[in-house]
Amino acid sequence: MHLQFDTSLIGDYKSKSQIARVLTEDWVSRQGYCPSCGTRPLHRFKNNRPVADFSCQTCAEEFELKSKKGVFSTIINDGAYSTMLERISADNNPNFFFLTYSKSYEVQNFLVLPKHFVTSDIILKRKPLAPTARRSGWVGCHINLSKVPSKGKVFLVKDRKFREPEKVAHDFKKTLFLRKQSLKTRGWLLDILKCLDKIPEKEFNLESIYAFEQDLKQCYPDNNHIKDKIRQQLQVLRDKEMIEFLGRGRYRKL
């Protein structure tokens, strides 16, 4: 896998957005692979297809590519708000590729956000365009990666360093069980994973996770048994080998 873009492709383009699209889509077409099964190359959809840009011809996973020049940010610009909400609730909602590159057109970071981590909670609605705008009233959205648990950010390239495809596939498949959960159960599991991210130690006890009881109560005001629910979700994560139970109320992150 090479990090450099093929800048010979942009000779006839003037628009910065067009240049970015051409270069990044070409790079993913040539250097990318399916993080789920390792298939390469990925199939490239025709331009202007809502949301998805690539698909895997082996396992049928779909991917939307978002790119940015410069430092990686937790806020990612995206398209129409209504289209995004409709698409992520569909059966074939996409995974997301996020790519950052330098001024010299070299890839810095390339990661995948598995679709089971893409919920309406991380989609931020933007203000409608002004009446004087060409697309007056159009409403776009942002994707807020700061609300995504660390397990949902699977890097293929991090800080210009490649990760082995086998490790990428392992990390991607590790959380696939979330797709089989109901939206409510998945929401609880994602919230517990986010709480675990806020605990700096690798080993923790129940009291450490109980400290987030009031935060979770705000998310689930009708639930009067937050601690019971926390223990239930920890058991699920233990069974899926995402944490290890050490005994006497102690756990270890895996």
Side-chain angles (χ1 to χ4, degrees):
M1 184 182 284
H2 301 286
L3 295 174
Q4 198 68 40
F5 291 157
D6 182 3
T7 54
S8 68
L9 301 173
I10 62 175
D12 296 330
Y13 292 94
K14 304 298 182 183
S15 166
K16 292 182 179 180
S17 61
Q18 285 184 321
I19 291 173
R21 177 182 59 80
V22 169
L23 292 180
T24 56
E25 289 186 0
D26 171 74
W27 185 86
V28 173
S29 295
R30 292 183 294 105
Q31 304 295 336
Y33 58 88
C34 177
S36 177
C37 68
T39 294
R40 66 172 73 206
L42 293 169
H43 171 71
R44 188 172 172 178
F45 288 122
K46 294 181 179 180
N47 291 337
N48 299 320
R49 186 179 189 272
V51 181
D53 297 307
F54 297 91
S55 70
C56 175
Q57 298 293 77
T58 300
C59 66
E61 295 284 353
E62 294 189 0
F63 305 89
E64 180 191 358
L65 173 64
K66 292 296 174 184
S67 62
K68 177 186 177 182
K69 181 189 291 186
V71 180
F72 192 81
S73 172
T74 57
I75 301 297
I76 310 296
N77 292 332
D78 206 271
Y81 178 73
S82 58
T83 300
M84 176 58 69
L85 291 186
E86 181 180 349
R87 188 72 167 87
I88 66 175
S89 62
D91 292 335
N92 63 335
N93 59 313
N95 305 281
F96 285 88
F97 279 142
F98 296 114
L99 185 154
T100 61
Y101 59 97
S102 66
K103 293 181 179 180
S104 58
Y105 294 121
E106 186 178 48
V107 174
Q108 303 292 303
N109 295 283
F110 183 45
L111 69 88
V112 62
L113 172 62
K115 64 182 183 181
H116 39 281
F117 286 92
V118 183
T119 64
S120 58
D121 291 341
I122 73 168
I123 308 300
L124 304 179
K125 188 176 183 180
R126 295 163 63 183
K127 293 181 178 180
L129 293 183
T132 55
R134 182 170 59 86
R135 292 188 294 170
S136 174
W138 183 84
V139 178
C141 67
H142 298 300
I143 300 174
N144 187 359
L145 290 181
S146 68
K147 292 189 174 183
V148 177
S150 58
K151 294 289 187 183
K153 304 165 190 174
V154 181
F155 282 86
L156 290 75
V157 177
K158 187 171 185 179
D159 298 329
R160 300 179 64 246
K161 294 181 180 179
F162 301 108
R163 295 187 68 225
E164 295 179 6
E166 294 78 12
K167 292 182 178 180
V168 172
H170 175 271
D171 290 348
F172 188 93
K173 293 176 180 178
K174 190 74 173 177
T175 61
L176 286 179
F177 74 93
L178 289 168
R179 295 186 183 180
K180 300 179 181 179
Q181 311 297 321
S182 67
L183 289 177
K184 184 175 182 180
T185 300
R186 189 194 310 172
W188 264 103
L189 288 167
L190 294 179
D191 285 333
I192 295 300
L193 285 173
K194 285 185 281 188
C195 291
L196 292 178
D197 283 344
K198 296 176 182 178
I199 300 175
E201 297 80 15
K202 188 171 183 178
E203 294 187 10
F204 64 96
N205 55 30
L206 280 176
E207 293 306 316
S208 299
I209 196 76
Y210 284 164
F212 299 98
E213 181 180 7
Q214 292 306 312
D215 295 335
L216 293 168
K217 183 65 176 178
Q218 292 182 7
C219 298
Y220 305 95
D222 296 331
N223 191 310
N224 296 317
H225 306 281
I226 299 295
K227 289 184 177 180
D228 293 340
K229 196 68 176 181
I230 290 174
R231 292 194 300 272
Q232 181 188 62
Q233 303 313 303
L234 290 177
Q235 183 173 340
V236 173
L237 295 177
R238 181 203 66 186
D239 293 344
K240 297 301 179 180
E241 299 182 349
M242 299 189 74
I243 60 174
E244 179 184 4
F245 180 58
L246 302 177
R248 296 186 177 182
R250 292 196 60 80
Y251 298 84
R252 178 188 293 119
K253 303 176 189 178
L254 299 177

